[in-house]
Amino acid sequence: MDVPDKKAVGLWDYDKYRDQDTPLSDDEWAYVEHDTLAGVECLIALKKVLRSKIFAMPYTATGINRKECKLRGKKKFAHDFFLKQVLTWEQQIVCELVYHGGYTHGNRHFIGVVNENVIGGDFQSSYPFIMCAYKVPGEKFAKYHNCKATEIIKQMDDYAFMTKLILKNVKVKYDVDMPVLQYSKAIKTINAICDNGRIIMAAYVEIYVSEYTLDLIMKQYEIGAHACMDVYCATKKYLPRWFTDYVFECYTDKCALKYRDPYDAVLYALSKSRVNSLYGLTVMHPVRDEIQEVYSGEDTGTYTVEAGDFETKYNEYVNLMSSIFCYQWGAWITEIAQYNLFKMGSMCDTWLYSDTDSVYGQGWHMDEVEAYNQDCLKRLKENGYDAVRVDGHEFILGTITFD
């Protein structure tokens, strides 16, 4: 961003093997100091571009998009659309249990090993791609009775499901290096053995999942017995057009700024932030604990948590005209992105590491990568979008690219 204190290129040795006890040289401390100063100066530059005072700056990048989305949504009766599919309070609790963050994990068979010929692939704007090209829950959820896992998976292209999955005597299959079953999201386990937060085997597991995670679990694990309880179902539809058009517009602006002459690093960084933060609008918790901080006296720096009546607060949130984003949209965007990540992981011989939208592996199957990338463009076109072309460069949302 062309700030006064530049990144101290050359002072950090990226080829050096390190752990948490490796001492830093004077040059490396200088590198860290320049990174810190540059970060502060970048925030100051961003403040100037946004024409905002420090007290009016959004706390997160999501705040930059929120105002524009509310203006666009108001013109398209977005609140009315929201009311047609918003979750009940009971369903909101379930959906928050279904939701999880990005998949970050390392292959347990290669801990402490230096691997050669590792190539990293990542998705081009993974979450914005899902928003523009995939269908998510598009109607109110309803109870679905007497449902088997195979029935849910069979209908996953057209219907979204939330279910409490009960597993008995579950064990990851021998050839699965990157297990999906998340210990921290399980509401009950018995004798669970984990690898960095992922369940390898257990006598008993209860966990809320969507159809996407259910499909991965059924493929990855040997299961003595299982049952789907408390099943909810909703028809899948594309996200509202006013929102997906804005997502695609932000992505197009980012691509155009990347090669604009003269190059404006601040505007490009802002446009990139806009694209990446749109997803956050869809997964904001509608109600939260009230945090009361003490700013004076002997108890300065302490705080109390006031939970309050969450259900009443939630119903008040639902009736606000400014409420236009359904929480389940974001939950399913995350689910689909993880499902696609496991597709990418299967495209190499050895999957070593992943972090949300990237796969580091050995022995990539480039024919499978090309087929996946073609499918990305096909999905975009089915919803009325296309590649972005700028000065001879082509950008396609969701495609896999390599370092």
Side-chain angles (χ1 to χ4, degrees), residues 41 87 128 261 351:
E41 290 160 3
L87 301 170
D261 187 26
W351 182 0

Side-chain angles (χ1 to χ4, degrees), residues 128-135 238 376 379-380 382-383 385:
F129 167 63
I130 305 301
M131 289 184 243
C132 289
Y134 277 80
K135 295 179 180 180
Y238 288 118
C376 288
R379 287 181 178 274
L380 285 166
E382 286 173 351
N383 196 27
Y385 298 107

